[in-house]
Amino acid sequence: MTIARRLEVALSASDAVVWEIDFNEGDVFFGDRIAKMLGLGLGDRLPIAQFSALLAAFQEGFAGSKYENALNRGDAETFNRLSPPELTLTLADGQKRFCRNYSKTLRGEDGRIERLTGLLVDVTPHIMTQRELTAAKEAAEEANKAKSRFLSNMSHEIRTPMNAIIGMTDLLSNEFLSDKQSRLVRDINASASSLMEIINDLLDLSRIESGKFDLAPADYNLKELLENLNSMFLYSANAKNVLFRFESEANLPEYVFGDDVRVRQVLINILNNAVKYTRQGAVTFLAGLDDGRLSFSVLDTGIGIRQDDLRSIFEEYTKFDPHKNRRVIGTGLGLAITKKLVDKMEGAINIQSEYGKGTQVHITLPYVPGAPAEAAANRVEFQRLSAPEAKILVVDDKLVNLRVAAGMLELFDIVCDLAASGQEAVDKVRGGSYDLVLMDQMMPDMDGLEAMRLLRSEGFTRGRPPIVALTANAVSGAREFLLEAGMDDFLPKPIDKSQLCQILAKWLPPEKMIFTRSESAAPADEPWSPFLKEAARIEGLDVAEGLALLGGKQEAYRDLLRVLMQTMPRIADVMREALETDQMRLLAIEVHGLKGSLRHVGALALAEKALELEQNAKAGDIGVCVEKLPALLEGVQALERHFRRLFEDFEVPEHRPAGDPQVLRHGLVILSECLEEFDFTAAKEILSHLSAFDYGEPLNERLAHAENMVDVFDFASASSTVEELGGMIAPETA
């Protein structure tokens, strides 16, 4: 068999065909196989001019005149340079074939190119398989993202009522209950805490899988962390008659630099499993420093794990021996999350077990020495923090949220400054010296991120002053996104007292903080006033929830209801206008603020409706927003009517002494200056003083209107009203 014949047989067994352009003869050889593939009834040779038209018909890339001109004038070099290595041929029946083209120039004795010889390989099956795999990969990734979004949203929505359940049972446990009632409350609290543990696992998993998860390293006291875990699990183990031992080696460092929250989470997951699955015997917790790395070991005499099951021990939603462990509550996510967290911290985890005898878990983590200064902040949960000298600015466009934040800070003896917009916050930071700024994320015009970036550009670097993001979007990745954007820290709304305490302890100057041991028992709850008892009768209003957020301050809660009542009509008007003018971002911002205000007073069901509308507005679903907004507005208006009747029934007009119009005129001048400078605190003090006197109607009515406008941060309307008041005072009384 000749070499040519062998080559022909080899090519026939493959998806490759040979082509050649002969510039001397002026024709193209492409063989029967190409003609058959293209569905043409041609021979194996074709004039160059006809071949040029053929390329234009079957290959879009050759349709340009540059290819045709190069062929017709015999410019082999240009044609070869322009020829793409990959071709997409559209056949006569509409099929597409994907081919790879390999070519080589052949020159004559004079150096001129005489022929182009090439190999055309049909790679359609390979390309189609590759595309199918890519599509399947993208579909799987999208499905995984959708799952993570669902888990995050679902878990986030369940957390709100679960927090209320846990909080209410904690409050009930302090009441005078019978033994049976105490047992029932403890059972409810234990079940709710178990469910919250599952929810937190789901949230952690969604954050990790979405990639929106970062560590937050800082100096912390490792020995104190471990002693805290020892106290926690000593109690739970003893309750099962299981011995719990904690041993730390002499070389264990006291202060470490790392993410103590994640270290604690990893160790709690491992210790929790050991105690849960050990019915008798002991659980031993060892900690030390091994070869320059932190070393933690947990040994138990529990049921153990089969060798076959050890292979999938870190897979998600995996639980072993479901028959034996049917009473053990959990998602099967604990070890999966633990493994991901350990990997994220560049550590290692190893599990050894003998079925029926027990399990050993060994974890090593990198050791970076820490300093005690920052670690001291993490001890505040065992102390009471007071900071009367601290200067804090709270920024939020919703007065209800400002009042809540101010009330929470009062628990730490802090009187804060307030700003109702991003621009006002920037102006106040420029002109003041704040120890901490609590900045709302979503505000109209200039939002929290824009204000933060503007301050950063003006030389206010990270930590000078610290800017902590306030947001109700405590969903997967929110914290990581805000920290990456430049915020110093993150505080979710509704504000939790313990979380606020940690933020204050972490960021306030040490010399302005006073720590005292909180050994005395908490004061008993004050009996509800008649006003609150009547408010609790309003359908959809959870007074206890609202009070809990304000540390039980009844007057602060009453004030919050009044402010919300005053702001509801304006918020409703803005939402209607935003929807009518297709301003979906403005609608989302207003509904977001309303949602937070409703949650703060305990109108949880209505807040859920606001959350749904906010999500639709963010997604740009105008049609859905048009359907849902009326129901939300109806609920808001009904709540406003209830509030107005409530205040009408319980607020008796007080007798005020006659006021001096001349003093009023002088006060209005100072008030006008305060409003021009957006100084809310000073304006409120002046109005409070002026409103204590009776100037007769209609001066009293216009003064009350000015106070209402200041309450809702409508400084423009307040300034106009003050100017109007000045004109109403008779000249002879000036």
Side-chain angles (χ1 to χ4, degrees):
M1 182 182 291
T2 64
I3 294 177
R5 179 56 181 160
R6 287 174 182 168
L7 178 61
E8 183 180 350
V9 171
L11 289 174
S12 65
S14 69
D15 291 320
V17 291
V18 176
W19 59 268
E20 184 178 77
I21 301 176
D22 190 331
F23 290 98
N24 290 331
E25 298 295 331
D27 62 7
V28 180
F29 166 80
F30 52 84
D32 293 338
R33 293 188 63 203
I34 294 183
K36 183 178 180 182
M37 185 172 69
L38 297 177
L40 303 174
L42 303 172
D44 60 359
R45 305 197 76 84
L46 196 67
I48 286 179
Q50 193 173 349
F51 179 66
S52 174
L54 183 68
L55 290 176
F58 287 96
Q59 170 58 33
E60 184 179 350
F62 285 91
S65 59
K66 54 188 176 181
Y67 297 104
E68 187 174 345
N69 292 338
L71 276 174
N72 291 337
R73 67 173 181 265
D75 188 352
E77 288 186 353
T78 300
F79 178 82
N80 196 41
R81 178 169 48 83
L82 295 177
S83 298
E86 296 187 358
L87 310 175
T88 302
L89 300 177
T90 304
L91 308 186
D93 60 1
Q95 275 191 71
K96 288 188 181 295
R97 306 299 293 180
F98 303 97
C99 303
R100 287 204 176 97
N101 182 41
Y102 306 92
S103 61
K104 182 177 179 59
T105 56
L106 300 176
R107 299 176 182 271
E109 293 180 358
D110 57 0
R112 185 176 63 85
I113 295 177
E114 295 180 344
R115 290 191 304 276
L116 281 174
T117 298
L119 192 67
L120 195 65
V121 182
D122 187 353
V123 293
T124 302
H126 171 72
I127 295 295
M128 296 306 294
T129 300
Q130 191 177 52
R131 288 188 176 184
E132 289 172 2
L133 290 173
T134 301
K137 178 176 176 290
E138 291 174 352
E141 289 175 348
E142 184 56 37
N144 191 48
K145 289 178 182 178
K147 180 200 70 177
S148 295
R149 286 194 297 268
F150 169 76
L151 289 176
S152 174
N153 293 335
M154 180 199 68
S155 304
H156 175 64
E157 294 311 309
I158 297 174
R159 280 165 62 103
T160 298
M162 288 308 306
N163 277 320
I165 293 171
I166 293 172
M168 293 306 101
T169 53
D170 282 340
L171 291 174
L172 274 175
S173 64
N174 294 321
E175 299 293 332
F176 294 101
L177 304 176
S178 67
D179 290 343
K180 180 179 180 181
Q181 290 170 333
S182 296
R183 186 174 65 256
L184 291 173
V185 168
R186 285 197 302 270
D187 289 345
I188 293 172
N189 191 275
S191 297
S193 298
S194 296
L195 184 55
M196 184 61 80
E197 182 181 331
I198 294 172
I199 293 166
N200 289 334
D201 280 349
L202 292 171
L203 276 174
D204 277 335
L205 183 66
S206 67
R207 291 190 185 103
I208 294 170
E209 289 188 341
S210 65
K212 298 176 180 178
F213 170 78
D214 285 312
L215 300 173
D219 293 312
Y220 68 96
N221 190 320
L222 175 62
K223 289 188 175 180
E224 194 170 81
L225 184 153
L226 297 177
E227 287 291 346
N228 186 20
L229 293 180
N230 176 44
S231 300
M232 181 190 308
F233 286 97
L234 183 64
Y235 173 80
S236 58
N238 287 343
K240 298 179 62 177
N241 292 321
V242 171
L243 178 64
F244 186 84
R245 292 191 295 257
F246 168 59
E247 301 174 11
S248 62
E249 297 179 5
N251 63 356
L252 184 72
E254 183 172 7
Y255 295 105
V256 173
F257 181 79
D259 192 332
D260 61 315
V261 174
R262 298 307 176 186
V263 172
R264 181 189 298 268
Q265 184 177 357
V266 165
L267 295 177
I268 285 177
N269 281 347
I270 299 302
L271 289 167
N272 194 44
N273 278 344
V275 173
K276 276 198 303 186
Y277 293 103
T278 301
R279 299 189 177 95
Q280 59 183 5
V283 174
T284 303
F285 179 28
L286 308 174
L289 198 63
D290 183 13
D291 197 21
R293 292 171 68 85
L294 296 174
S295 172
F296 306 101
S297 296
V298 177
L299 300 80
D300 67 63
T301 58
I303 61 174
I305 306 167
R306 292 186 175 92
Q307 291 303 307
D308 290 343
D309 291 334
L310 277 174
R311 300 190 189 97
S312 54
I313 192 70
F314 296 119
E315 292 182 5
E316 297 159 10
Y317 307 104
T318 299
K319 293 181 71 176
F320 303 112
D321 269 359
H323 176 71
K324 281 190 175 183
N325 301 311
R326 63 187 183 279
R327 298 183 183 275
V328 177
I329 298 174
T331 57
L333 290 174
L335 285 177
I337 292 173
T338 298
K339 179 67 164 63
K340 293 178 187 294
L341 290 175
V342 170
D343 289 345
K344 186 75 173 179
M345 291 186 285
E346 298 181 357
I349 180 171
N350 176 263
I351 298 181
Q352 297 177 340
S353 184
E354 185 174 353
Y355 189 64
K357 293 188 177 181
T359 302
Q360 297 182 20
V361 181
H362 185 61
I363 296 171
T364 59
L365 297 173
Y367 166 54
V368 179
E374 291 292 328
N378 293 328
R379 294 198 292 270
V380 306
E381 58 184 308
F382 306 107
Q383 301 171 325
R384 183 185 183 276
L385 169 63
S386 174
E389 301 300 320
K391 191 173 181 183
I392 295 179
L393 175 65
V394 181
V395 187
D396 201 304
D397 63 308
K398 297 296 179 286
L399 181 59
V400 171
N401 297 342
L402 288 174
R403 292 288 177 86
V404 169
M408 295 294 290
L409 288 170
E410 285 180 12
L411 299 175
F412 303 96
D413 305 319
I414 298 172
V415 178
C416 62
D417 200 358
L418 305 175
S421 68
Q423 185 60 58
E424 185 182 352
V426 170
D427 294 339
K428 289 201 169 189
V429 172
R430 286 169 177 163
S433 179
Y434 292 101
D435 300 309
L436 178 64
V437 178
L438 302 179
M439 180 85 73
D440 184 37
Q441 177 194 358
M442 290 185 65
M443 294 183 286
D445 299 326
M446 182 185 292
D447 64 22
L449 288 176
E450 292 174 285
M452 178 271 299
R453 292 186 184 112
L454 181 57
L455 290 171
R456 296 275 190 256
S457 69
E458 295 180 359
F460 294 91
T461 57
R462 284 200 175 212
R464 302 176 56 191
I467 302 177
V468 175
L470 280 175
T471 179
N473 290 333
V475 296
S476 176
R479 181 181 188 276
E480 291 76 15
F481 166 75
L482 291 168
L483 293 179
E484 288 175 5
M487 292 289 186
D488 291 290
D489 216 324
F490 169 89
L491 183 61
K493 294 191 291 187
I495 298 173
D496 176 77
K497 179 185 175 183
S498 62
Q499 290 179 321
L500 176 60
C501 182
Q502 291 177 7
I503 290 293
L504 296 176
K506 181 177 180 180
W507 294 108
L508 289 181
E511 65 273 12
K512 292 189 177 183
M513 293 188 289
I514 303 170
F515 294 101
T516 56
R517 289 288 173 184
S518 54
E519 297 173 354
S520 59
D525 290 340
E526 181 183 353
W528 283 11
S529 66
F531 177 90
L532 291 187
K533 290 179 180 178
E534 188 62 27
R537 295 167 62 89
I538 297 176
E539 185 178 356
L541 186 67
D542 189 337
V543 174
E545 174 74 11
L547 272 177
L549 291 173
L550 289 170
K553 294 183 176 182
Q554 297 191 26
E555 282 304 314
Y557 180 73
R558 181 170 178 161
D559 189 37
L560 214 56
L561 293 185
R562 180 188 290 107
V563 170
L564 184 56
M565 176 186 70
Q566 293 169 346
T567 57
M568 276 178 169
R570 186 195 66 81
I571 294 173
D573 290 341
V574 173
M575 289 192 298
R576 286 193 195 94
E577 183 180 354
L579 186 56
E580 289 171 359
T581 55
D582 292 347
Q583 298 183 69
M584 302 305 286
R585 179 179 180 272
L586 177 60
L587 177 62
I589 290 174
E590 288 298 321
V591 179
H592 175 85
L594 175 64
K595 173 192 67 179
S597 299
L598 293 171
R599 282 178 174 171
H600 280 134
V601 299
L604 302 181
L606 202 54
E608 291 306 302
K609 288 186 178 180
L611 173 62
E612 292 178 8
L613 184 61
E614 178 192 357
Q615 292 171 339
N616 296 136
K618 286 180 178 178
D621 298 332
I622 298 178
V624 178
C625 291
V626 170
E627 292 178 5
K628 290 186 176 181
L629 181 59
L632 178 61
L633 291 176
E634 183 180 346
V636 167
Q637 290 164 353
L639 197 59
E640 181 197 350
R641 288 194 297 269
H642 285 304
F643 288 169
R644 292 199 181 279
R645 284 196 294 269
L646 184 66
F647 282 101
E648 288 172 2
D649 292 342
F650 283 90
E651 289 198 337
V652 179
E654 57 182 324
H655 175 72
R656 294 178 293 173
D660 184 343
Q662 188 172 354
V663 174
L664 175 62
R665 181 187 291 277
H666 179 68
L668 293 175
V669 171
I670 302 174
L671 177 60
S672 180
E673 294 175 356
C674 294
L675 293 175
E676 288 179 4
E677 297 175 0
F678 300 98
D679 193 334
F680 172 83
T681 304
K684 283 294 294 179
E685 289 179 358
I686 294 169
L687 281 165
S688 177
H689 175 76
L690 295 176
S691 300
F693 298 92
D694 180 13
Y695 306 98
E697 296 295 341
L699 289 177
N700 288 343
E701 186 272 329
R702 299 313 297 158
L703 188 62
H705 180 71
E707 190 168 11
N708 288 339
M709 291 301 98
V710 171
D711 277 343
V712 298
F713 290 92
D714 190 347
F715 293 117
S717 297
S719 296
S720 299
T721 305
V722 168
E723 185 178 352
E724 182 184 350
L725 268 167
M728 293 170 64
I729 301 175
E732 62 269 18
T733 64

